[in-house]
Amino acid sequence: MKEIVGNPLHLTSLNHISLVCSSVEESINFYQNVLGFVPIRRPDSFDFNGAWLFSYGIGIHLLQSDDPEKMPKKKEINPKDNHISFQCESMGAVEKKLKEMGMEYTRQKVVEGGIEVDQLFFHDPDGFMIEICNCDNLPVIPLAGQMLRTCSRLNLQMKQQPMPVVKL
């Protein structure tokens, strides 16, 4: 069996994901107005249509398809398909907003050891799957039995801080 190495490439974080889209403008609208991403400057040296967006510590790079008509369109929302997942503060607020926007979505619940995680799945304009969840409820436990972690650095920091004493 191979030896497991902790960080052989000395990675520090996920920088961005890159998505080919049929309409950069339509995708900018979706990622900006549905998910809250902000358009940012991209290098002027690029000789192709695209856009960069940023939020939540991650970038999304949108690339205009050379042949938008031939891009496959996914109709069925399949939670087992490739997707990117975002944590949220309130699943109820997210579901309410998706309904208000007329977005088609699928709801799922994962139960593990008495812990419940709610998930909402929907597509971007080109059928790329988006998940919104409260996955931070589920601890991240490395198989090697290392330190217990959660999905969110903020949550981890909060768990490491002593709870304030409240006098009644």
Side-chain angles (χ1 to χ4, degrees):
M1 190 166 165
K2 289 185 177 181
E3 180 182 338
I4 299 173
V5 180
N7 187 359
L9 300 179
H10 306 281
L11 304 178
T12 59
S13 66
L14 177 63
N15 181 270
H16 71 272
I17 63 166
S18 185
L19 300 170
V20 175
C21 48
S22 57
S23 167
V24 168
E25 292 73 22
E26 193 176 333
S27 292
I28 289 170
N29 182 55
F30 173 86
Y31 284 97
Q32 188 172 8
N33 296 317
V34 175
L35 296 178
F37 277 79
V38 176
I40 61 171
R41 188 176 178 280
R42 67 187 269 246
D44 291 332
S45 60
F46 287 165
D47 63 353
F48 53 91
N49 190 11
W52 285 9
L53 299 102
F54 187 84
S55 195
Y56 318 109
I58 185 173
I60 294 182
H61 294 184
L62 302 173
L63 307 171
Q64 178 64 50
S65 169
D66 291 335
D67 195 350
E69 299 300 319
K70 289 190 178 175
M71 285 190 61
K73 284 278 189 184
K74 292 183 181 176
K75 303 279 186 209
E76 179 186 344
I77 298 174
N78 178 0
K80 295 179 185 172
D81 203 349
N82 296 326
H83 64 274
I84 186 168
S85 178
F86 296 94
Q87 297 265 122
C88 72
E89 294 176 8
S90 167
M91 291 299 290
V94 170
E95 190 165 15
K96 180 181 177 194
K97 192 66 175 173
L98 291 175
K99 284 179 183 175
E100 288 172 6
M101 291 188 280
M103 300 278 300
E104 182 182 342
Y105 64 90
T106 296
R107 169 186 263 278
Q108 272 198 225
K109 184 180 293 275
V110 175
V111 180
E112 177 68 26
I115 298 170
E116 293 185 0
V117 172
D118 296 302
Q119 302 167 301
L120 297 171
F121 294 90
F122 53 96
H123 287 147
D124 79 356
D126 290 298
F128 183 73
M129 183 85 65
I130 309 293
E131 173 189 359
I132 308 291
C133 69
N134 58 356
C135 296
D136 201 37
N137 292 346
L138 195 62
V140 175
I141 304 171
L143 294 177
Q146 298 170 356
M147 180 177 109
L148 176 69
R149 296 189 176 111
T150 64
C151 294
S152 156
R153 279 189 243 151
L154 176 63
N155 193 20
L156 178 61
Q157 290 168 353
M158 288 172 34
K159 287 181 180 180
Q160 290 174 339
Q161 294 175 358
M163 294 297 291
V165 176
V166 178
K167 293 183 180 182
L168 300 175

